[in-house]
Amino acid sequence: MKLYTSDEIRTKFIRFFQGKGHEVISSASVIPDNDPTVLFTTAGMHPLIPYLLGEKHPSGTRLTNIQKCIRTVDIDEVGDDTHCTFFEMMGNWSLGDYFNQESIAWSWEFITSPEWLAIPKQKIAVTVFEGDADAPRDQESYDIWRELGQDEKEIFFLPKADNWWGPAGQTGPCGPDTEIFIISDKERCGPSCSPACGCGRYIEIWNNVFLQYNKRADGQFEPLDQRNIDTGMGLERVLLALNGGTVYDSDLFTSIFAQIAALSEATYVDQPKAYRIVADHTRTAVFILGDTYGVTPSNVDQGYVLRRLIRRALRFAMELGIQEGSLANVANAVIEKYELIYPELQRNRDKIIREFQAEEARFQKTLSQGLREFDKLTISLENDQLDGKAAFKLYDTYGFPIELTMELAKERSIVIDLEGFKENFQKHRELSQAGAAQKFKGGLADHSTHTANLHTATHLLHAALRKVLGEEVAQKGSNITAERLRFDFSFHRKMTVEEIAATERLVNEAIAEGVEIISEEMTLEEAQNTGAIGLFESKYGQKVKVYSMGKFSKEICGGPHAANTADLGTFKIVKEESSSSSVRRIKAILESTDALR
């Protein structure tokens, strides 16, 4: 059987859609820009939300790319055959151009044609939306599949829970989808076996979303003026479907596993779960650290997830007998595997290795504290039993894996309340997932006038900071909610009261000038020649949008902006604080604007 490589699939996908008139755009950052709906970019469509809502994209109406994505909701499942926290999403988009007829036909051509993936047609199953009170049954997509030759016994009508996407926030673009599956060799689990049953017979490889509705604040669905196509095809999942095995049985992990084996006292056959966790978590951490935004391990938001990934990798590295201080070698193997595709990893290699080493040193200190805590908890136990809450505290506060706690307890003839531990663990997990769900509150993704004004204000703030603190200041991330803006920037110390006041004054002076905000499309080189600041330039295609606000600010950017600086109202800084090492954070609001009334 032919085994596909990751490079081969990436090349085939991009070349196919280029042949269908799509412009290739670069992968955006794994840290969402101005999007409070998620901590990380979880799909290729997230950076494109403004354009799905009607903004004109500088590269046109047909786009394709391979987007770096991170999903950590199922982090505790990593180590099995199918879960990864980092993956590459291959996607194509129509921004008011073609719709489901072309989208489905091209998907069918790509997966079945001998020139492309050459998957036998009898191995394919699809699902379509069955309809409900909000939207009708998607008979049109069903008919398209049948016309192409899809076996009707392997077309399944499923409800909104299975075949509907969006919106990203409480309101916005959404619509039915059709999902494409590979039929595995596993037997049907019963007469009602379908892609919805989760028995493992059907392996999803592609999702085509038909964004044709807008969900309003009152919960009603109305047709969109601009109908869009958004598709996503996970590279790791495609390799699994084509080659068999698990998501770890591809060239993506071969050299990483080899490095782990060189450091380990155990083989992959002996401890596959530990190998997979070390490889997966190290890979994800490398992509977060290698990102332009400059996230580093911390106790909040993306930094907290990064810290958890590195420390979980370290815990399982300990199980494999990997010596202290060696995880950076695994990180280096990840960089070497991906640096030609994602050159930012090579550019940021020193920072990545440095942060791995620093976090490992911090973790070793934490483990020492945890051992002392274990001694305190167990020195005067009644009935030689450690309750589940205490065992979970060791896990949550001190990073102790339950396996280590059990090993120490066994040495002292102590019994651990494992059921109590699992109960506390599940409560923590549910709270974490609920907290993540609270991220879906709107913000820039809602495209409102006020969030557009806040987004515009970040440009003025950036320019003001460069005037007050020096031109070495560079944006390191931003986040917009309906209430405030948050702006991260490179700077080595806390701002003084005078510097904060001067920054605020400059922004308000720029607002008071009431200048028109001008948007121009040009090549990246042309934009740089005009003096535009190119934030996170790797995320942009060959053509970019440049927003100018008089002589005060000129930046490469995407998304919604105000029409005139006078629309913004009064700018007020409410907090200046540390975000991470050599990165400061400002939170600010706009007061007395028409948009607030």
Side-chain angles (χ1 to χ4, degrees), residues 308-583:
R308 186 183 178 197
L309 286 164
I310 295 176
R311 293 189 174 189
R312 195 163 189 253
L314 286 166
R315 294 207 309 263
F316 282 90
M318 290 166 56
E319 285 192 15
L320 293 172
I322 294 176
Q323 293 298 307
E324 181 180 337
S326 299
L327 195 62
N329 294 324
V330 182
N332 198 55
V334 174
I335 296 169
E336 290 177 353
K337 174 62 184 174
Y338 285 95
E339 62 188 354
L340 294 180
I341 304 164
Y342 301 107
E344 64 272 18
L345 300 184
Q346 170 59 32
R347 290 197 301 268
N348 293 315
R349 180 190 297 269
D350 291 345
K351 172 200 167 185
I352 294 168
I353 300 303
R354 184 174 63 251
E355 290 295 341
F356 263 92
Q357 293 170 337
E359 187 60 24
E360 182 160 5
R362 286 190 289 263
F363 182 58
Q364 293 300 331
K365 182 179 179 181
T366 298
L367 281 180
S368 299
Q369 293 171 336
L371 286 169
R372 289 195 294 271
E373 182 67 17
F374 180 85
D375 289 339
K376 285 195 292 184
L377 287 170
T378 58
I379 197 167
S380 58
L381 284 176
E382 294 183 9
N383 304 320
D384 291 328
Q385 182 167 358
L386 184 67
D387 67 67
K389 186 176 182 180
F392 180 74
K393 180 182 178 183
L394 286 168
Y395 167 82
D396 186 48
T397 305
Y398 297 99
F400 259 48
I402 187 62
E403 293 82 5
L404 178 56
T405 303
M406 291 170 63
E407 184 179 325
L408 292 169
K410 185 178 179 180
E411 292 173 359
R412 304 184 190 191
S413 300
I414 294 170
V415 177
I416 296 176
D417 176 15
L418 283 177
E419 288 304 313
F421 172 84
K422 291 175 182 177
E423 183 179 325
N424 279 273
F425 180 88
Q426 185 60 30
K427 286 180 182 177
H428 171 78
R429 189 176 186 184
E430 289 170 358
L431 285 170
S432 297
Q433 291 175 342
Q438 287 300 308
K439 292 283 181 182
F440 287 84
K441 289 185 176 179
L444 190 59
D446 285 332
H447 212 244
S448 71
T449 299
H450 186 52
T451 54
N453 288 347
L454 285 164
H455 182 202
T456 305
T458 64
H459 289 251
L460 298 178
L461 172 59
H462 189 197
L465 286 168
R466 287 166 64 87
K467 288 177 170 61
V468 172
L469 302 178
E471 293 191 357
E472 68 273 16
V473 166
Q475 183 176 343
K476 289 296 182 181
S478 62
N479 176 277
I480 307 291
T481 71
E483 293 80 29
R484 57 97 182 116
L485 68 84
R486 192 182 75 198
F487 187 85
D488 292 353
F489 59 98
S490 57
F491 198 57
H492 60 282
R493 61 167 172 81
K494 182 178 181 179
M495 291 176 66
T496 66
V497 173
E498 293 77 15
E499 288 168 338
I500 293 173
T503 301
E504 193 176 90
R505 176 178 53 78
L506 284 172
V507 173
N508 282 312
E509 287 176 355
I511 292 172
E513 286 186 18
V515 298
E516 181 184 357
I517 298 167
I518 298 172
S519 173
E520 301 172 280
E521 291 184 9
M522 58 188 75
T523 67
L524 182 58
E525 184 178 6
E526 289 170 341
Q528 291 170 326
N529 290 338
T530 66
I533 298 173
L535 302 178
F536 325 125
E537 291 169 0
S538 63
K539 68 179 273 189
Y540 297 100
Q542 293 221 336
K543 279 195 130 186
V544 297
K545 280 188 175 182
V546 174
Y547 286 87
S548 301
M549 304 176 200
K551 296 181 179 180
F552 193 79
S553 169
K554 179 178 283 190
E555 287 193 17
I556 299 170
C557 193
H561 293 74
N564 191 293
T565 60
D567 298 336
L568 273 56
T570 302
F571 176 83
K572 182 175 179 59
I573 295 174
V574 295
K575 196 168 189 179
E576 192 273 348
E577 60 188 345
S578 172
S579 172
S580 59
S581 177
S582 296
V583 177

Side-chain angles (χ1 to χ4, degrees), residues 260-328:
I260 295 172
L263 300 168
S264 174
E265 296 176 357
T267 66
Y268 179 77
V269 174
D270 294 332
Q271 295 221 48
K273 179 179 178 180
Y275 264 74
R276 292 171 181 179
I277 289 173
V278 172
D280 171 85
H281 288 9
T282 302
R283 183 174 73 150
T284 304
V286 163
F287 273 93
I288 297 172
L289 285 166
D291 198 83
T292 316
Y293 278 93
V295 171
T296 54
S298 70
N299 292 324
V300 295
D301 294 340
Q302 293 96 343
Y304 173 78
V305 176
L306 174 60
R307 171 161 286 165
R308 186 183 178 197
L309 286 164
I310 295 176
R311 293 189 174 189
R312 195 163 189 253
L314 286 166
R315 294 207 309 263
F316 282 90
M318 290 166 56
E319 285 192 15
L320 293 172
I322 294 176
Q323 293 298 307
E324 181 180 337
S326 299
L327 195 62

Side-chain angles (χ1 to χ4, degrees), residues 1 10 28 35 45 54 85 92 116 118 130 154 158 193 272 280 346 362 454 509 539 560 564:
M1 182 183 77
R10 289 190 197 98
D35 188 348
M45 56 73 57
T85 53
N92 63 284
W116 304 107
E130 72 176 12
E154 295 293 350
L158 295 178
C193 183
D280 171 85
Q346 170 59 32
R362 286 190 289 263
L454 285 164
E509 287 176 355
K539 68 179 273 189
N564 191 293

Side-chain angles (χ1 to χ4, degrees), residues 51-85:
Y51 308 107
L52 295 170
L53 287 163
E55 284 283 317
K56 185 181 177 183
H57 196 285
S59 293
T61 59
R62 296 186 180 189
L63 310 173
T64 187
N65 83 341
I66 299 174
Q67 173 63 47
K68 301 174 293 184
C69 296
I70 293 175
R71 294 180 185 174
T72 58
V73 173
D74 297 321
I75 188 172
D76 296 302
E77 306 301 323
V78 171
D80 64 8
D81 291 350
T82 60
H83 284 88
C84 292
T85 53

